[in-house]
Structures are given as structure tokens and as C-alpha cells.
């Protein structure tokens, strides 16, 4: 097991990674809580709930089911969950446990942060993305008026517990989708994680939970390091946005229907690496190395038929843009990114078009 300490503004908490990690819940101060509730999805809970309860030894007052899918990240659903909590007798001393991917974590975290002005929260992330990214760092959100993550809070969990065994029930596509985020972390962190996944990619595909463990923990460590230094996104946390500027535009241009988030990030990484080359920041050999790892995760569904103008217009609307100006995180080489403010629109467009056709390294 690997145990990390994460500091948030008000307290420190642990994130525990590895096979058997759910047992770490036994150490929760049960006496602090009047009751425990779980927010999850029905099929996921049907598959893993019994094992989770057996290992964690939790006594749960009620399991609340939320329909799967991004649409559940809404104020309406947050209201529903809060109303159910209240009906089942949740009070200020209740504990809310999220058991699911980023959707369940973001929604459940939002509810926990606002129910009776805040009750304690524990995350049990069950997707690759949630284990290496969304369960860490204390951001919660729901989508409002078609805008992703428009309304949200900073609210840290008391504990994060990630067992890779749950990942074995993910579809191949969902599993791969999360790996693009792991590649993002590898590019940010430098050679150690990069080589770990470069050499382990074949095993990763086989979803061997035990072999995955060290890679997930390393990828999580990358985010934790950033979060520990910069909880509120002032500067450093921005680098986590690598690949997400193009990625978000691709997701939005297709109304979040066509690509999984990680797939859009995979394309986003390829495009921003190309942009780095066009800006003469990224050398060709470095670009090839980084693109090679993205591509080795597996086939990405094509973006060839996306309308470049429409997609590029959405870039300026990126939530991370300030006053309409996009801040670019350009991967210079493995382990090094550069923050660039003024990138000519023509190069942004060229990099996107090249990526659509995969022109530059065919
Ligand atoms: N809070 C943050 O810092 C942060 C960071 C990144 C992303 N996010 C958010 O995370 C969300 C995406 O998360 P995600 O990719 O985990 O999506 P998700 O939660 O929708 O999960 C993806 C799919 O996998 C299924 N699933 C989950 N666990 C499973 C398992 N163990 N076995 C089989 N199926 C399983 C889900 O039902 C769903 O259909 C987005 O809403 C995004 O905005 C938040
Ligand atoms: Zn992401």
C-alpha cells in the first residue's frame, strides 16, 4: 500500500493506494459519525458493494443511487440527493462516501460540501481518471446551463481510498480513456513515471490490477505534489491543464457525446505537442517521444470530421481563459512544460488541423 499526505486549507488527509486499500477505512474514527451514507451508481454497487463493505467494515445507513452519466452532475440531482439524505435522517455528524468515477465524486463532493453547510466526505474512486485525478485536490462541481463545472466548491475529503481491483470491470474504452490522463501526468512529471508506463503499457492493457498499482500511485503522486503546493489554482495548478485546452474544445464541439473525456485529452495532448513544435519550443525528437506514448495507449476515435473553425472558437471560452485570453501549457519535453500567453491564432489552428490529419508524424 502507498499512503500519501495531502494538505488542504483546514486539515491534512490521506490518500491510500493499492490492493486491499479499502481496509484503510477501518481506521476512520467511527465514533465521530452519527451515520454513514454512500452515493454511487446501481450497476457499480451491484458489482463491488458487497466486497467493499466486507473489507471496509462500514455500517452504512443508506446507499443512494444516482443514474450513471455526466447528466447526473446537475443542481437538480444534488437537490435530490440532499433530500434523500434528509429523509434518511442524515445530520451534521453524518459521513458521505462517494463510490464511483469523477461524476459521482464531483456530485457527491458538492452535496457533502453544502448539505447542512458541510458534512464529512470520503472518496472511493473507481475509474482511472478518478483515482489519479478527480478524487484528489478537493474540487467539486455540477454543470449548470450547459456549462461544465460552472458551479462548485473547494471541499477536501477526509480520506481517499483507491483499490485498482475495481478498474477490472471498466470497459476497455473507459479504461484507456483514463490512461491518457496518466500519460499527461507522465509528461508533467518527467522520466520516472514516463518510463514506468512506457515499459508497462502492455500490462496496462491487460488490466492487471496488481501491476497497475505502482503506476496509478505514481500518477496520483504527480497531482498530489502540485495540489500540496497550490490548492487554489493560482499558478502551479495550471500545469494540470496540459492537453485540456484543445481537449475541452473537442468535447464541447461534440456536446460531450462523442468522446470520453480522456480521449479528448489524448487528442488535446497531440495537438498541443504539435503547437509546441510550431512555436519552436518543442524539439522534434521530444515531440515524437511524447506523441508516441499517447498513441501507444491505443486507438483514438477520429476527430477528422470536426469543423476546425467551430472547435477553435470554443477555445477562447475555456474556463481557464482570463479575459478571453487563453493560457497555453506547452510541453517542451518530458518533465518540462512552459506557460505561454500569446500564441498566434493561426498557429493554434494549424496545430489543430495537422492533428486532425495526423500530418506531421504519419
Ligand atoms: N474534481 C476534479 O478535480 C476533476 C478532475 C477531472 C475530471 N473531473 C470530472 O470527472 C468526470 C469524469 O470522470 P470519469 O471519467 O471517472 O467518468 P464517470 O464517473 O462518468 O465514469 C465513466 C463510466 O464508467 C462507469 N464506471 C465507473 N467506475 C466503474 C467501474 N469500476 N467498473 C465499471 N464501470 C465503471 C461509470 O458508470 C461511467 O459510465 C467529469 O465530470 C469531469 O468533469 C473532475
Ligand atoms: Zn482531465
Amino acid at each position: 500500500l502507498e499512503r500519501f499526505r495531502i494538505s488542504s486549507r483546514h486539515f491534512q488527509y490521506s490518500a491510500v493506494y493499492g490492493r486491499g486499500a479499502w481496509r484503510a477505512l477501518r481506521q476512520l474514527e467511527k465514533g465521530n459519525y452519527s451515520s454513514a451514507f454512500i452515493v454511487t451508481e446501481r450497476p457499480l454497487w451491484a458489482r463491488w458493494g458487497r466486497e467493499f463493505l466486507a473489507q471496509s467494515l462500514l455500517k452504512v445507513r443508506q446507499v443512494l443511487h444516482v443514474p450513471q452519466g455526466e447528466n447526473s452532475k446537475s443542481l437538480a440531482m444534488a437537490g435530490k440527493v440532499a433530500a434523500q439524505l434528509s429523509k434518511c435522517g442524515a445530520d451534521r455528524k453524518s459521513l458521505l462516501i462517494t463510490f464511483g468515477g469523477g461524476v459521482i465524486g464531483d456530485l457527491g463532493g458538492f452535496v457533502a460540501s453544502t448539505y447542512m453547510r458541510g458534512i464529512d466526505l470520503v472518496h472511493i474512486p473507481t475509474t482511472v481518471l478518478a483515482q489519479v485525478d478527480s478524487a484528489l485536490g478537493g474540487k467539486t462541481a455540477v454543470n449548470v446551463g450547459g456549462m461544465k463545472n460552472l458551479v462548485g466548491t473547494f471541499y477536501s475529503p477526509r480520506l481517499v481510498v483507491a483499490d485498482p481491483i475495481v478498474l477490472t470491470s471498466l470497459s476497455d474504452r473507459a479504461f484507456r480513456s483514463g490512461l491518457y490522463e496518466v500519460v499527461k501526468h507522465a509528461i508533467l512529471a518527467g522520466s520516472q513515471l514516463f518510463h514506468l508506463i512506457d515499459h508497462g503499457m502492455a500490462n496496462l492493457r491487460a488490466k492487471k490490477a496488481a501491476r497497475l498499482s505502482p503506476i496509478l500511485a505514481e500518477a496520483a503522486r504527480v497531482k498530489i505534489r502540485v495540489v500540496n503546493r497550490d490548492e487554489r489554482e493560482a499558478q502551479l495548478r495550471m500545469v494540470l491543464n496540459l492537453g485540456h485546452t484543445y481537449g475541452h474544445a473537442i468535447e464541447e464541439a461534440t456536446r460531450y457525446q462523442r468522446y470520453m473525456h480522456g480521449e479528448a485529452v489524448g487528442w488535446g495532448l497531440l495537438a498541443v505537442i504539435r503547437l509546441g513544435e510550431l512555436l519552436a519550443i518543442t524539439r522534434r525528437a521530444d515531440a515524437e517521444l511524447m506523441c508516441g506514448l499517447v498513441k501507444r495507449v491505443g486507438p483514438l476515435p477520429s476527430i477528422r470530421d470536426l469543423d476546425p473553425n467551430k472547435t477553435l472558437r470554443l477555445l477562447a471560452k475555456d474556463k481557464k481563459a482570463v479575459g478571453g485570453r487563453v493560457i497555453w501549457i506547452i510541453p517542451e519535453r518530458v518533465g518540462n512544460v512552459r506557460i505561454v500567453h500569446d500564441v498566434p491564432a493561426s498557429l493554434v489552428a494549424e496545430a489543430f488541423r495537422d492533428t486532425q490529419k495526423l500530418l506531421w508524424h504519419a
Side-chain angles (χ1 to χ4, degrees), residues 129 133 181 244 261 265:
L129 175 131
D133 191 350
E181 299 272 8
H244 282 63
H261 171 72
V265 171

Side-chain angles (χ1 to χ4, degrees), residues 120-195:
D120 274 8
L121 169 70
V122 166
H123 283 311
I124 314 295
T126 66
T127 61
V128 177
L129 175 131
Q131 293 199 349
V132 305
D133 191 350
S134 65
L136 304 161
K139 282 195 199 176
T140 86
V142 293
N143 309 324
V144 170
M147 314 269 216
K148 226 178 116 99
N149 299 335
L150 188 66
V151 172
T153 55
F154 274 97
Y155 199 73
S156 292
R158 293 284 161 174
L159 181 66
V160 176
V161 178
D163 190 327
I165 192 74
V166 276
L167 306 178
T168 55
S169 64
L170 284 170
S171 70
D172 282 342
R173 191 177 172 195
F175 180 74
R176 272 204 312 271
S177 172
L179 288 186
Y180 294 107
E181 299 272 8
V182 175
V183 170
K184 178 196 87 173
H185 286 192
I187 292 175
L188 287 175
S191 52
Q192 196 189 341
L193 179 59
F194 197 86
H195 287 125

Side-chain angles (χ1 to χ4, degrees), residues 91-356:
D91 59 27
R92 281 189 183 78
K93 287 283 175 196
S94 294
L95 173 68
L96 188 64
I97 298 163
T98 73
F99 189 94
V103 165
I104 290 294
D106 277 12
L107 172 74
F110 182 73
V111 171
S113 72
T114 48
Y115 184 77
M116 295 189 171
R117 303 204 173 79
I119 58 174
D120 274 8
L121 169 70
V122 166
H123 283 311
I124 314 295
T126 66
T127 61
V128 177
L129 175 131
Q131 293 199 349
V132 305
D133 191 350
S134 65
L136 304 161
K139 282 195 199 176
T140 86
V142 293
N143 309 324
V144 170
M147 314 269 216
K148 226 178 116 99
N149 299 335
L150 188 66
V151 172
T153 55
F154 274 97
Y155 199 73
S156 292
R158 293 284 161 174
L159 181 66
V160 176
V161 178
D163 190 327
I165 192 74
V166 276
L167 306 178
T168 55
S169 64
L170 284 170
S171 70
D172 282 342
R173 191 177 172 195
F175 180 74
R176 272 204 312 271
S177 172
L179 288 186
Y180 294 107
E181 299 272 8
V182 175
V183 170
K184 178 196 87 173
H185 286 192
I187 292 175
L188 287 175
S191 52
Q192 196 189 341
L193 179 59
F194 197 86
H195 287 125
L196 199 58
I197 60 176
D198 201 20
H199 290 115
M201 201 61 99
N203 293 328
L204 284 184
R205 209 158 312 196
K207 290 199 243 172
K208 292 273 192 300
R211 295 205 188 126
L212 253 166
S213 242
I215 288 171
L216 294 170
E218 269 312 302
R221 188 198 301 275
V222 176
K223 172 134 185 194
I224 290 166
R225 234 190 265 133
V226 171
V227 166
N228 272 344
R229 280 189 285 171
D230 186 3
E231 195 200 356
R232 282 190 169 241
E233 187 135 12
Q235 270 294 320
L236 186 61
R237 198 159 172 166
M238 249 168 25
V239 303
L240 294 170
N241 216 34
L242 176 66
H244 282 63
T245 311
Y246 283 114
H248 284 147
I250 290 168
E251 281 185 292
E252 212 182 320
T254 50
R255 299 180 168 275
Y256 299 94
Q257 301 291 316
R258 202 161 131 190
Y259 306 100
M260 302 198 73
H261 171 72
E263 292 170 342
V265 171
W267 280 117
L269 287 170
L270 292 173
V272 81
I273 293 165
R274 176 61 179 153
L275 184 59
E277 264 191 293
L278 294 176
L279 288 165
I281 289 174
T282 314
R283 289 184 15 231
R284 193 183 174 92
D286 291 313
E288 274 170 6
L289 187 68
M290 292 187 283
C291 287
L293 195 55
V294 176
K295 291 203 215 150
R296 280 183 53 201
V297 172
L300 281 165
S302 172
I303 56 165
R304 203 174 266 253
D305 62 325
L306 296 197
D307 176 355
N309 296 325
K310 179 179 163 196
T311 310
L312 295 166
R313 262 202 307 277
L314 295 168
L315 283 176
K317 278 180 47 193
D318 194 281
K319 205 154 38 73
K320 306 274 171 6
V322 180
R325 260 182 42 190
V326 180
I327 299 164
W328 287 95
I329 314 297
I330 305 288
E332 189 170 359
R333 63 184 118 78
V334 174
N336 207 24
V337 296
R338 220 190 271 179
I339 298 175
V340 182
H341 289 265
D342 293 299
V343 176
S346 58
L347 292 188
V348 172
E350 188 179 341
F352 184 71
R353 289 205 183 86
D354 286 354
T355 305
Q356 281 187 293

